[in-house]
Amino acid sequence: MRKSWLAAATLSASLVSGIAAANELTLYSGRGESFVQPIVNQFERDTGIKVNVRYGDTAQLALLLQEEGTRTRADLYWGQDAGAMGSLAKDGLLATLPSRVYDDLPAIYTSRTGQWVAASGRARVLTYSTERVNAADLPSSVFELTDPKYKGRLAVPPTNGGFQAFVTAMRVQHGDERTLEWLKGIRANEPVIFRNNTTSVQGIADGDVDFAIVNSYYLPRFVNADPNYPVAQTFFAAGDIGNLVNVAGIGVLAPSRNKDNAVRFIEYLLSQSAQQYFTSVINEYPVTPGVISNPVLTDLSELLVLAPEIDLDELADLPGTLRLLRDAGLM
């Protein structure tokens, strides 16, 4: 009798544990906690599904997942850029998503593998001083920034991940030879080296430089604090690689035992309320239409016309980009 009771108790505990596990997700997030946790908390309240989040650097978490392989306990990976997502997809670590998740998304926001989608987007833009730059000084292509008239006036952050992803995209669209030529032209124009996008924008306001190529969400942060901030941002001509739209992407890990709930989390990120949060609070572009635009950002419909078409999964070759930056003397 005692043996039978113990067996029943063990089975019951196992079932409870299984149910609990089914109602939990483990998320590896390369996005910052201040961005991610509010929406995770809302998801937990709305669905009753607990999400355990491991925060870290996007590239380092991608490497960790490659080391863990099929042993990983992660159900989801939320990366800061498309390169990391493409790298995991090529290694076979991501599951194929149901097509309903991405069927209605613009092409610039989906992987051609169907293994991950963008949760939000950010564009490369040209920021400039409103005090020292005239409309006639604004180039129509990023390649024009090698012109001598921009000598000593451009901020460049060669060690910044966003800048490196942009250079990788230029390699994908125009090839290594032309990209290296552009990098050497920029180097010859004696740019001012900055640590990252934030300091580059600040450098314009401080009068150190007149131009910078940065992600679109940095200037809104300054403008929110000071509506008279003396910096503006614009795009190059439609289709120019200088208008690259990179994404924060999310995918389900192939070994996950909670794929249904993991997909449910992704669909939650694509919901109207979550997309409004990314746009209004994080200052990023939505990936779905119908969201009220951020007044500092170009409307999504216009962005879709300006953005170059590029295979986001091809942005994974960071070593090749670092080699070109060193060859050009920028690192």
Side-chain angles (χ1 to χ4, degrees):
M1 176 66 73
R2 178 178 172 76
K3 188 174 181 180
S4 175
W5 178 85
L6 284 173
T10 301
L11 176 61
S12 176
S14 176
L15 288 172
V16 170
S17 174
I19 292 171
N23 283 315
E24 289 189 11
L25 290 170
T26 298
L27 166 66
Y28 282 12
S29 175
R31 307 223 67 192
E33 184 173 357
S34 61
F35 296 159
V36 169
Q37 198 59 50
I39 206 157
V40 165
N41 293 342
Q42 190 62 46
F43 174 79
E44 290 178 331
R45 286 193 289 269
D46 289 349
T47 66
I49 300 171
K50 179 174 175 54
V51 182
N52 303 302
V53 187
R54 178 169 184 165
Y55 292 101
D57 176 81
T58 285
Q60 290 175 350
L61 286 177
L63 287 173
L64 177 62
L65 285 169
Q66 289 165 337
E67 291 174 1
E68 292 178 342
T70 57
R71 295 176 290 103
T72 187
R73 300 183 65 178
D75 300 296
L76 291 151
Y77 173 69
W78 192 352
Q80 178 75 7
D81 63 69
M85 304 305 302
S87 178
L88 292 181
K90 286 183 177 179
D91 287 346
L93 293 174
L94 299 180
T96 300
L97 297 172
S99 60
R100 69 172 189 275
V101 174
Y102 54 81
D103 269 350
D104 295 332
L105 299 183
I108 63 169
Y109 285 142
T110 60
S111 163
R112 295 175 185 177
T113 67
Q115 295 182 340
W116 61 272
V117 296
S120 57
R122 57 191 183 278
R124 298 299 284 181
V125 293
L126 181 70
T127 50
Y128 62 93
S129 167
T130 56
E131 297 173 335
R132 300 181 299 280
V133 174
N134 298 316
D137 294 327
L138 297 176
S140 61
S141 170
V142 71
F143 286 98
E144 294 177 24
L145 290 173
T146 59
D147 189 288
K149 72 179 180 180
Y150 299 109
K151 189 170 186 176
R153 303 175 68 190
L154 178 67
V156 171
T159 60
N160 175 259
F163 181 79
Q164 293 170 354
F166 156 67
V167 174
T168 304
M170 181 181 284
R171 293 174 54 215
V172 170
Q173 189 171 75
H174 295 285
D176 282 6
E177 184 176 350
R178 189 175 183 194
T179 300
L180 180 59
E181 180 185 357
W182 181 78
L183 289 170
K184 287 182 175 178
I186 291 293
R187 178 71 180 86
N189 248 358
E190 301 177 2
V192 180
I193 302 300
F194 283 85
R195 185 175 72 255
N196 53 36
N197 289 319
T198 299
T199 55
S200 297
V201 175
Q202 185 64 54
I204 296 175
D206 291 344
D208 298 324
V209 289
D210 293 338
F211 302 93
I213 310 168
V214 300
N215 287 335
S216 51
Y217 52 69
Y218 288 95
L219 181 59
R221 297 174 185 174
F222 286 100
V223 173
N224 287 339
D226 176 8
N228 297 315
Y229 199 70
V231 180
Q233 64 187 29
T234 187
F235 286 96
F236 300 101
D240 191 89
I241 193 61
N243 302 338
L244 172 71
V245 175
N246 205 335
V247 302
I250 187 164
V252 177
L253 274 300
S256 170
R257 295 181 180 179
N258 294 313
K259 287 187 175 66
D260 287 346
N261 281 341
V263 169
R264 191 175 175 187
F265 182 81
I266 293 176
E267 291 178 315
Y268 190 86
L269 296 187
L270 302 179
S271 67
Q272 190 84 1
S273 59
Q275 290 295 303
Q276 193 65 63
Y277 166 77
F278 291 132
T279 302
S280 300
V281 179
I282 310 299
N283 297 310
E284 293 184 322
Y285 282 101
V287 300
T288 59
V291 174
I292 300 172
S293 299
N294 184 314
V296 184
L297 301 177
T298 299
D299 188 76
L300 175 61
S301 60
E302 186 177 351
L303 178 71
L304 296 178
V305 174
L306 293 165
E309 291 188 14
I310 194 163
D311 184 352
L312 294 173
D313 289 290
E314 294 300 319
L315 302 184
D317 183 21
L318 179 60
T321 294
L322 296 178
R323 186 182 66 251
L324 256 61
L325 286 167
R326 286 191 290 269
D327 290 347
L330 286 169
M331 291 185 69

